[in-house]
Amino acid sequence: MPLLYKFAICFIAGIGAGLGTGFAGMSAAAVISPMLITFLHIPAYEAVGIALASDVLASAISAWTYGKNKNLDIRNGLVMMIFVLCFTLVGSWVSSLVPSHAMGNFSVFMTLLLGIKFIIKPVMTTKEAMALVSPKKRLFQSSICGVMIGFICGFVGAGGGMMMLLILTSVLGYELKTAVGTSVFIMAFTAFTGSVSHFAIGGAPDWWALIFCVLSTLLWARIAAKFANKTSPVILNRATGAVLVILGVVILGVNYLG
């Protein structure tokens, strides 16, 4: 397979993955996995590992950008992260026992529905309203939700970011920028754990595909995060919703081709 063709596929996949990460804390695997499987014929389990590895730096640079703009809740995010990390390992191990065709469909519909939600019903919660939520209630919810999110992230390599964003905004009452910032903060660690466990179980990945995907996703995540932190909540809701809907439709199309 020509190296230029591989670069083009990975770069395009990185555009979608990076925009999804920077705007919505979306796992890169939701975009990268189906692209690698369909156009480069990389095995599903290996593709998920590459996608999760791409997520590490992209989520980290996004979290740093949101944190620099005071849109990151580290203290409460750490609670959820502990449970997410533990159950990402469990999900990753279980996914290695499941046929490839059973992986990934959930995250596509999750992306579409969440995108439509942001367009129709934007998240307009303020940081002042966030402070009114009971710390004990948030701690309990974060623990339970972390278990579910971690398993989903490890199992399909996608959906974890979407689940976190939905829970942070709808259940825990976060305003959108802080929710995305906290989500990508957690995803940087869960993606690292998931990718290491995938490679440990499935072996070394396609190195060129890994390098191309990591660099492209990192670039576009940085661009998206910078834009998201400078724009108003209304515009951010609409932009995030539009990105998610477009990505959802594209992923469905790619899955159909596959």
Side-chain angles (χ1 to χ4, degrees):
M1 184 177 295
L3 190 61
L4 184 60
Y5 174 75
K6 183 176 292 186
F7 169 78
I9 295 299
C10 293
F11 185 76
I12 293 171
I15 294 175
L19 292 178
T21 299
F23 273 118
M26 178 181 175
S27 172
V31 179
I32 292 178
S33 295
M35 290 286 287
L36 296 185
I37 293 167
T38 302
F39 297 106
L40 299 183
H41 308 296
I42 292 176
Y45 194 74
E46 180 184 344
V48 170
I50 292 174
L52 286 171
S54 303
D55 223 351
V56 178
L57 291 180
S59 293
I61 193 65
S62 297
W64 181 81
T65 303
Y66 278 91
K68 189 173 68 170
N69 289 275
K70 303 186 185 302
N71 292 316
L72 172 59
D73 185 358
I74 295 179
R75 184 178 61 183
N76 289 299
L78 284 172
V79 175
M80 184 180 291
M81 185 180 72
I82 292 171
F83 287 92
V84 171
L85 282 172
C86 293
F87 281 85
T88 295
L89 289 171
V90 176
S92 180
W93 175 74
V94 173
S95 72
S96 69
L97 309 175
V98 177
S100 297
H101 64 77
M103 302 166 65
N105 290 330
F106 168 79
S107 62
V108 179
F109 293 105
M110 185 74 179
T111 300
L112 269 173
L113 293 176
L114 197 56
I116 294 172
K117 175 189 177 298
F118 282 129
I119 294 174
I120 296 177
K121 189 178 180 182
V123 177
M124 300 304 293
T125 307
T126 62
K127 291 185 179 180
E128 290 74 20
M130 283 176 57
L132 300 177
V133 179
S134 168
K136 290 184 178 180
K137 178 181 179 181
R138 181 166 291 168
L139 176 65
F140 176 75
Q141 291 175 329
S142 296
S143 302
I144 299 300
C145 294
V147 171
M148 297 185 295
I149 293 169
F151 184 83
I152 292 171
C153 180
F155 184 73
V156 300
M162 294 293 91
M163 286 291 290
M164 268 190 281
L165 187 61
L166 178 63
I167 288 170
L168 288 171
T169 54
S170 301
V171 178
L172 302 182
Y174 279 60
E175 59 95 23
L176 184 56
K177 290 182 182 180
T178 305
V180 175
T182 304
S183 177
V184 290
F185 169 73
I186 297 172
M187 284 301 297
F189 293 94
T190 59
F192 176 78
T193 305
S195 62
V196 169
S197 61
H198 267 67
F199 295 150
I201 296 171
D206 181 318
W207 291 107
W208 280 117
L210 175 63
I211 293 170
F212 292 152
C213 285
V214 167
L215 294 179
S216 180
T217 306
L218 176 63
L219 170 65
W220 291 99
R222 173 64 171 156
I223 293 172
K226 288 187 70 174
F227 175 81
N229 278 276
K230 291 181 179 179
T231 192
S232 68
V234 174
I235 294 177
L236 180 59
N237 271 274
R238 290 173 179 169
T240 301
V243 167
L244 293 179
V245 169
I246 292 172
L247 288 177
V249 172
V250 171
I251 296 167
L252 279 177
V254 171
N255 284 340
Y256 176 76
L257 289 174

